[in-house]
């Protein structure tokens, strides 16, 4: 079953609160991501994942769990995986009789790392880890650094493919990141807006090469919040040139695309978090932030179109479902979507009555293509206790009880 529910969100604590449950039931939510704050021990993680799947079996439970310094779960039996640079160093080391070194030992170790990583997460109920990192290590980027296998794109590709093989053996998919390459720039996209001024030819020949070589092995890709001005003025994750023309068109990639964290500084060039989500879903379609009415129209039309597409997909699969519980779940979601679409239609009609000149833009938005088949806008804002309380106290949408900005 392919359901278009493009948002990946997070939760604040170790268990699901009432607000968490309401948000996870929202029709546009397709999954959630776990952080270290959601981890206490193996039993708690398993119980949390079980409660999420009981709420909605179709939700994707994901995590950033690469090894090294990016590993969310490190205690209660979870293996401390090495940073990926260690595998690259093993590849380059001279093989000796009593040591494991050289390319073949390195690829074997990479497969073992992928299997352990995936098997331990799957045993706890996690569906996907956003790994492996395909960035090249130029020695300047602190945020990438030892997360990268190395500098040579050929070595990076073969070690990454070995990790993917291990993940596959454990029953887990993979995610190559950060397309087309974050390793060249020094700035950290979590706190800055990195700009890579190289040409398209230079990037494709080096940093982006692993994505071409692994296009049939990757199940998903995460673009970088980096601007490459000689190609596009927008970050790669918001650029149809990068996602449609290069990744899908030139490289033939047909899997899922997950945006990186939309609360990162590198994503704020799109505007608000909502603007970022819409930009990630629609690529070239620029928000009209200079015209408040047009901006409001854009938000509502895009979200309405996403809801309509999802409702059509869900309704088409409803008759083929034999499980009564799943039929009730999908029927309830369809009812929620219908109510939301009606609210959006009413809000759009109100805006058109206020500004008839927006009618042409409304038609353009209604027919605009995305960067499908699946593009997930990843909303990864860590919630502090105070933020969680504020969210719980916020006035809910009258229809879905979750998003205050739904239609009006």
């Amino acid at each position: 079953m392919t359901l278009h529910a493009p948002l990946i969100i997070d939760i604040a604590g170790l268990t699901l609160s009432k607000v968490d449950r309401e948000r996870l039931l929202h029709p546009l939510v397709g999954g959630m991501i776990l952080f270290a704050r959601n981890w206490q021990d193996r039993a708690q993680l398993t119980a949390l994942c079980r409660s999420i799947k009981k709420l909605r079996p179709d939700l994707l439970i994901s995590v950033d769990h690469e090894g090294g310094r990016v590993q969310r779960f490190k205690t209660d039996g979870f293996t401390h995986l090495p940073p990926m640079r260690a595998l690259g160093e093993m590849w380059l080391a001279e093989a000796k009789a009593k040591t494991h070194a050289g390319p073949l030992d390195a690829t074997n170790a990479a497969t073992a790392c992928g299997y352990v990583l995936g098997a331990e997460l799957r045993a706890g109920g996690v569906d996907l880890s956003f790994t492996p990192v395909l960035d090249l290590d130029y020695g300047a980027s602190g945020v990438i650094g030892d997360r990268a296998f190395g500098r040579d794109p050929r070595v990076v590709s073969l070690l990454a493919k070995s990790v993917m093989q291990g993940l596959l053996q454990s029953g887990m998919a993979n995610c190559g990141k950060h397309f087309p390459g974050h390793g060249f720039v020094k700035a950290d996209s979590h706190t800055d807006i990195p700009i890579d001024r190289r040409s398209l030819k230079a990037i494709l020949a080096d940093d982006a090469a692993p994505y071409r070589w692994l296009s049939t092995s990757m199940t998903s890709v995460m673009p970088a919040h980096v601007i490459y001005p000689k190609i596009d003025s927008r970050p790669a994750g918001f650029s149809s040139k990068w996602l449609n023309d290069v990744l899908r068109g030139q490289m033939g990639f047909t899997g899922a695309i997950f945006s990186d964290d939309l609360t990162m500084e590198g994503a704020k060039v799109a505007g608000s978090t909502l603007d970022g989500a819409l930009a990630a879903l629609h690529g070239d379609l620029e928000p009209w932030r200079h015209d408040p009415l047009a901006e409001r129209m854009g938000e509502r039309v895009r979200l309405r179109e996403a809801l309509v597409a999802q409702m059509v997909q869900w309704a088409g699969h409803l008759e083929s479902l034999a499980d009564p519980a799943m039929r009730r779940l999908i029927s309830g979601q369809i009812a929620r979507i219908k109510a939301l679409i009606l609210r959006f239609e009413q809000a759009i009609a109100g805006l058109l009555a206020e500004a008839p000149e927006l009618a042409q833009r409304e038609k353009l938005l209604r027919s605009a293509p995305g960067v499908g088949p699946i593009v997930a806008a990843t909303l990864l804002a860590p919630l502090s206790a105070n933020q969680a309380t504020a969210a719980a106290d916020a006035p809910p949408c009258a229809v879905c009880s979750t998003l205050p900005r739904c239609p009006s």
Side-chain angles (χ1 to χ4, degrees):
M1 186 188 310
T2 302
L3 306 177
H4 186 66
L7 298 181
I8 305 247
I9 64 174
D10 65 347
I11 64 172
L14 300 174
T15 59
L16 294 182
S17 67
K18 180 181 178 182
V19 172
D20 293 332
R21 292 176 182 275
E22 290 173 344
R23 286 174 172 162
L24 289 172
L25 283 172
H26 193 280
L28 288 180
V29 171
M32 65 164 295
I33 183 166
L34 299 171
F35 290 92
R37 67 173 183 272
N38 306 125
W39 161 264
Q40 183 178 62
D41 53 39
R42 191 181 293 270
Q44 172 269 329
L45 174 66
T46 304
L48 173 60
C49 292
R50 187 183 299 118
S51 66
I52 294 167
K53 292 295 186 177
K54 183 177 180 181
L55 184 70
R56 273 184 61 184
D58 61 308
L59 286 176
L60 178 75
I61 302 176
S62 61
V63 67
D64 275 320
H65 196 89
E66 306 166 5
R69 56 193 162 100
V70 182
Q71 182 170 335
R72 306 307 183 198
F73 317 136
K74 299 180 180 179
T75 58
D76 198 16
F78 266 89
T79 302
H80 285 218
L81 297 166
M84 295 300 100
R85 176 187 285 169
L87 297 171
E89 291 173 345
M90 180 185 290
W91 176 295
L92 296 174
E94 183 179 350
K96 298 180 180 178
K98 295 183 179 181
T99 61
H100 294 284
L104 295 180
D105 281 323
T107 54
N108 190 46
T111 302
C113 283
Y115 177 77
V116 171
L117 188 157
E120 291 183 346
L121 289 177
R122 292 282 287 161
V126 179
D127 299 314
L128 175 68
S129 175
F130 295 115
T131 192
V133 170
L134 301 183
D135 300 313
L136 306 186
D137 183 10
Y138 288 85
S141 173
V143 69
I144 301 301
D146 64 359
R147 297 166 65 191
F149 293 101
R151 170 64 182 86
D152 190 327
R154 298 166 298 178
V155 174
V156 168
S157 298
L158 289 174
L159 288 175
K161 189 167 186 176
S162 297
V163 170
M164 293 175 185
Q165 175 65 23
L167 290 169
L168 181 62
Q169 290 173 351
S170 75
M172 182 172 284
N174 62 71
C175 180
K177 62 185 186 183
H178 306 83
F179 176 79
H182 197 311
F184 185 79
V185 292
K186 184 176 181 180
D188 181 353
S189 55
H190 292 86
T191 58
D192 205 344
I193 302 174
I195 299 177
D196 187 336
R197 302 189 183 279
R198 292 177 298 166
S199 67
L200 176 62
K201 181 179 180 180
I203 295 170
L204 291 180
D206 216 2
D207 297 65
Y211 295 90
R212 176 167 60 88
W213 294 330
L214 298 173
S215 62
T216 58
S217 300
M218 296 182 300
T219 46
S220 63
V221 165
M222 181 177 289
H225 286 322
V226 176
I227 297 175
Y228 309 85
K230 290 188 177 179
I231 296 88
D232 199 336
S233 60
R234 290 174 288 269
F238 304 151
S239 168
S240 183
K241 291 179 182 177
W242 277 118
L243 301 182
N244 270 333
D245 299 346
V246 178
L247 181 61
R248 295 207 187 280
Q250 293 183 30
M251 297 182 177
F253 177 70
T254 59
I257 301 175
F258 293 90
S259 84
D260 206 344
D261 184 341
L262 292 175
T263 66
M264 290 164 57
E265 190 65 28
K268 292 184 179 178
V269 295
S272 68
T273 302
L274 177 58
D275 290 328
L278 295 172
L281 289 166
H282 291 275
D284 262 342
L285 213 51
E286 285 279 13
W288 293 302
R289 286 189 295 277
H290 301 298
D291 184 340
L293 284 178
E295 179 186 354
R296 287 164 59 194
M297 172 69 76
E299 292 176 356
R300 284 146 185 77
V301 172
R302 293 170 190 173
L303 289 173
R304 178 196 61 189
E305 291 303 291
L307 286 166
V308 169
Q310 186 188 26
M311 183 179 68
V312 170
Q313 288 177 321
W314 286 29
H317 289 291
L318 183 61
E319 293 303 319
S320 63
L321 292 175
D323 184 358
M326 280 298 295
R327 287 181 62 84
R328 287 194 299 272
L329 174 65
I330 299 302
S331 296
Q333 293 293 75
I334 291 174
R336 282 171 174 261
I337 294 171
K338 287 181 178 179
L340 280 170
I341 291 172
L342 178 60
R343 288 285 299 268
F344 276 111
E345 291 288 357
Q346 293 170 344
I348 291 166
L351 287 172
L352 289 175
E354 187 176 352
E357 67 274 11
L358 294 178
Q360 185 59 38
R361 290 180 173 180
E362 189 266 348
K363 291 179 181 178
L364 174 64
L365 281 164
R366 189 188 290 265
S367 61
V371 289
I374 303 172
V375 178
T378 319
L379 307 175
L380 312 181
L383 293 178
S384 66
N386 290 338
Q387 288 173 318
T389 302
D393 293 337
C397 167
V399 176
C400 64
S401 303
T402 55
L403 298 180
R405 292 189 66 187
C406 267
S408 57

